Amino acid sequence: MYALIDVNNMYCSCERIFNPKLNGKPIVVLSNNDGCVISRSNEAKALGISMGAVAHLFEKTFKESNVHVYSSNYALYGDLSDRLMHILASFTPDIEIYSIDESFLQFKGYDRFDIDKLDREIRETALRCTGLPVSIGIAPTKALAKVANRIAKKFDKKTGGVYLMDSELKRKKALNWLSV
């Protein structure tokens, strides 16, 4: 089985770690030249701010909706990512760092383990040790783990941020739900 661990709204989540007053408030992080939105909190997404939005076209929305706007801080994001990846590697030696906020973990020989319980422990450990909220999708292939992760994230309140796609029925249901 593969698990895809993905940090929720990575750059915004990093900013919240160092300023907890931002929790529950709309946040966007801008690109290198502050030209485009490259990360949005769920609250900012709810305001209709899209990924890649041209920042100066949303200035009115930012002001009217009290959106907290940050320039990107890649040194901070990279440091927190490194910390998270070290934590993830402590759960299995089979880790593939996919991006700054995503990793695939492969669980070979874990047949006697409760994978769902283990991945919930990974999620809790990541949050406790780094402050970063993650979603985890578990499935037999990397592509299906990506789909499972999307379900875990989209239905966080129901899934608790972890979704195990461990049956043919779940796979069919997930692929029917997914827009291609």
Side-chain angles (χ1 to χ4, degrees):
M1 294 292 268
Y2 290 91
L4 175 63
I5 293 85
D6 182 19
V7 179
N8 301 337
N9 312 316
M10 171 71 171
Y11 300 163
C12 292
S13 293
C14 290
E15 296 295 343
R16 283 179 168 163
I17 290 170
F18 291 94
N19 188 354
K21 291 179 183 178
L22 296 173
N23 289 331
K25 297 185 176 154
I27 306 168
V28 296
V29 175
L30 304 178
S31 59
N32 289 347
N33 62 0
D34 289 344
C36 297
V37 173
I38 58 170
S39 184
R40 308 159 293 151
S41 66
N42 290 339
E43 298 81 5
K45 291 174 188 177
L47 294 171
I49 301 168
S50 59
M51 182 63 84
V54 179
H56 79 270
L57 298 177
F58 279 84
E59 286 178 359
K60 184 177 178 184
T61 301
F62 295 162
K63 286 180 184 164
E64 289 175 354
S65 300
N66 295 318
V67 176
H68 299 264
V69 181
Y70 289 88
S71 294
S72 49
N73 181 345
Y74 297 115
L76 169 67
Y77 310 149
D79 181 61
L80 284 166
S81 175
D82 287 345
R83 292 179 192 194
L84 176 63
M85 300 311 162
H86 279 84
I87 290 165
L88 298 179
S90 73
F91 285 92
T92 179
D94 294 318
I95 181 171
E96 177 186 341
I97 299 171
Y98 189 64
S99 69
I100 193 168
D101 70 332
E102 289 181 281
S103 283
F104 286 101
L105 303 183
Q106 187 174 14
F107 297 104
K108 289 184 211 170
Y110 282 69
D111 301 343
R112 296 184 181 181
F113 285 84
D114 181 340
I115 288 291
D116 187 61
K117 183 178 178 183
L118 177 64
D119 282 296
R120 290 181 190 284
E121 182 184 338
I122 291 171
R123 186 173 195 256
E124 291 168 16
T125 303
L127 185 61
R128 184 180 69 251
C129 294
T130 66
L132 293 170
V134 300
S135 294
I136 304 177
I138 311 115
T141 68
K142 290 178 184 178
L144 290 175
K146 185 81 169 167
V147 173
N149 183 279
R150 196 154 178 199
I151 292 168
K153 194 172 288 201
K154 177 79 173 173
F155 303 104
D156 183 73
K157 286 184 174 44
K158 185 176 178 182
T159 66
V162 177
Y163 185 75
L164 173 61
M165 190 187 302
D166 59 352
S167 70
E168 184 65 15
L169 178 64
K170 285 182 179 180
R171 184 189 67 79
K172 285 181 179 179
K173 198 172 178 182
L175 293 177
N176 284 331
W177 167 77
L178 183 70
S179 297
V180 178

